[in-house]
Amino acid sequence: MTDSRRRDFTPSMKLRNQRLLQDVDCPRAGPLNVAFILLEHFSMPAFTTALDALVTANLLREMPFYRMQTYGVTGGSVRSDLGIDIMVGGELAELLHAQVDLVVVCGGYRVRLETLPTLNEALRRAAQHDCRLGSLWNGSYFLAEAGVMEGHTCTIHPENVALFNETFPQLELSCAPLVVEGARFTSASAGSALDMMLEAMRQRLGDDLARSVEEILACDRPAQPCAWHVEQQLPVPDSHLPEALRTILTLMSSNLEEPLSMSEMSRYVTLSRRQIERLFTRHLDTTPSRHYLELRLTRARQLLTQGNASITEVTLACGFVSTTHFSHCFRDYFGMSPSRARQRS
């Protein structure tokens, strides 16, 4: 049982440790049903990126947040743009009677843009039942074909812009890589598929979960986020922090086995102890010592749950003076002993 008196990580560090904490506060407990419609020659990178966001969310607690199902026009297997055949879980006719929260139409560069009556019927039924609708690559063409995009701006892969404008002149098309308007989500490439699913996640399950998933998956984001059509912005990396603070954070991350003293860090950045403390308070809402401790505990959690190092070895690798002290600090933050954390993982 988790100790209700345990200390809580500061927000940024809590995201990095969410998998073990498993206490994301979400507005609903039951899993949400998400249906992926795979069209022949669908973009495998876009599909797997979107799917990975949901799978990662499910890793963050014992009760899954999502239940995923794949559908093909006729069932059986569907060939991706990489020439890999994916066996789907059902055919579109079955989707007509399913209870689904989000339907995502997965297009691709070589997907044939044509009228698919069963797909149109499935999308119209979903819209009538207040289901949220999304698309990847050129999947928005099929949303428009089904007549479920009236009053909504959308986006599509640049290769398909001319045909879309010619076929649906009454609809507004954006050049942004991602457009989110209420219950409609359209992504123009594999690169924006993650952002699309994070926003869909944020709508239903809250910002904490979306940021936790992004922390795990978005390790290669550029220094500045891509432009969206919507106003919401994804978290920006630490490039906005003062240079001196970023230098200290790098020093801390690089010296976990033998933690630096405040006087050593102070000499390195030519700032007083008080100036450093003010930087941490103003920009990170924490103290240098607490942040350093949370970094070391985060490294300890990674070593415990991902490798076979002994607790003594983890203790030394993370700069703790004794296993007793390490175990006490670990329990304070995670609500369980290091050995229990290893077993749980």
Side-chain angles (χ1 to χ4, degrees):
M1 180 177 295
T2 300
D3 187 351
S4 60
R5 297 171 297 176
R6 77 175 193 227
R7 298 180 67 183
D8 198 11
F9 281 96
T10 48
S12 62
M13 298 302 295
K14 184 173 184 179
L15 296 178
R16 296 175 61 178
N17 292 288
Q18 197 67 69
R19 180 173 182 178
L20 189 58
L21 295 173
Q22 292 191 333
D23 61 354
V24 178
D25 183 20
C26 294
R28 58 181 296 158
L32 295 169
N33 293 312
V34 179
F36 288 95
I37 299 175
L38 307 184
L39 301 175
E40 196 73 16
H41 303 302
F42 69 94
S43 168
M44 178 71 89
F47 166 60
T48 55
T49 297
L51 181 63
D52 198 13
L54 307 184
V55 172
T56 301
N58 283 348
L59 294 175
L60 297 181
R61 72 172 185 182
E62 295 177 3
M63 175 70 71
F65 291 105
Y66 294 99
R67 183 184 296 114
M68 291 80 74
Q69 178 69 291
T70 54
Y71 294 88
V73 175
T74 58
S77 64
V78 182
R79 175 150 295 191
S80 74
D81 59 345
L82 303 182
I84 300 173
D85 293 334
I86 300 296
M87 185 65 66
V88 296
E91 59 182 82
L92 280 179
E94 299 173 35
L95 181 57
L96 293 172
H97 309 290
Q99 297 298 317
V100 181
D101 175 73
L102 172 64
V103 173
V104 180
V105 181
C106 302
Y109 183 74
R110 290 189 292 132
V111 168
R112 185 176 178 181
L113 302 183
E114 58 183 345
T115 300
L116 298 172
T118 306
L119 177 57
N120 286 346
E121 185 180 357
L123 292 174
R124 289 166 187 160
R125 179 192 178 280
Q128 291 167 359
H129 288 77
D130 297 323
C131 176
R132 299 183 299 163
L133 301 175
S135 66
L136 301 174
W137 202 277
N138 52 16
S140 57
Y141 180 95
F142 298 93
L143 297 180
E145 175 69 24
V148 296
M149 291 303 294
E150 281 78 1
H152 297 281
T153 301
C154 62
T155 189
I156 198 169
H157 190 273
E159 189 71 17
N160 306 116
V161 168
L163 177 61
F164 188 98
N165 284 331
E166 182 72 21
T167 309
F168 310 108
Q170 76 281 10
L171 297 181
E172 183 177 351
L173 193 64
S174 169
C175 63
L178 170 64
V179 174
V180 177
E181 283 195 356
R184 299 293 184 271
F185 309 79
T186 54
S187 163
S189 68
S192 55
L194 174 59
D195 289 342
M196 187 184 91
M197 298 310 293
L198 289 174
E199 183 58 23
M201 188 178 297
R202 184 175 288 109
Q203 280 191 8
R204 283 288 194 261
L205 300 173
D207 189 60
D208 282 351
L209 178 61
R211 293 183 62 200
S212 295
V213 171
E214 185 190 25
E215 178 74 27
I216 296 170
L217 297 180
C219 60
D220 58 350
R221 282 199 184 280
Q224 295 297 329
C226 297
W228 292 36
H229 180 77
V230 291
E231 294 183 358
Q232 297 99 318
Q233 294 294 325
L234 294 173
V236 181
D238 291 339
S239 58
H240 66 289
L241 297 176
E243 183 179 356
L245 180 54
R246 284 188 279 123
T247 299
I248 296 170
L249 294 176
T250 300
L251 282 173
M252 288 181 171
S253 297
S254 303
N255 293 274
L256 299 179
E257 186 172 352
E258 296 183 8
L260 301 174
S261 66
M262 279 293 292
S263 59
E264 289 174 313
M265 288 186 287
S266 178
R267 287 196 299 271
Y268 195 92
V269 295
T270 63
L271 293 176
S272 69
R273 181 189 185 108
R274 182 61 186 143
Q275 287 174 315
I276 293 175
E277 289 174 343
R278 282 199 293 266
L279 281 175
F280 273 82
T281 300
R282 181 181 304 120
H283 296 282
L284 300 178
D285 195 25
T286 188
T287 64
S289 59
R290 179 175 177 179
H291 184 82
Y292 213 165
L293 174 61
E294 292 181 359
L295 277 176
R296 290 155 59 206
L297 287 170
T298 299
R299 173 66 61 81
R301 187 266 304 167
Q302 293 169 340
L303 293 175
L304 284 169
T305 59
Q306 299 172 21
N308 297 316
S310 68
I311 292 178
T312 298
E313 290 171 330
V314 173
T315 297
L316 295 175
C318 299
F320 291 92
V321 296
S322 68
T323 55
T324 301
H325 179 228
F326 166 58
S327 296
H328 177 76
C329 292
F330 193 92
R331 187 185 292 275
D332 278 351
Y333 275 89
F334 289 101
M336 66 186 76
S337 67
S339 58
R340 171 64 181 139
R342 168 164 284 166
Q343 293 169 359
R344 184 170 179 175
S345 296

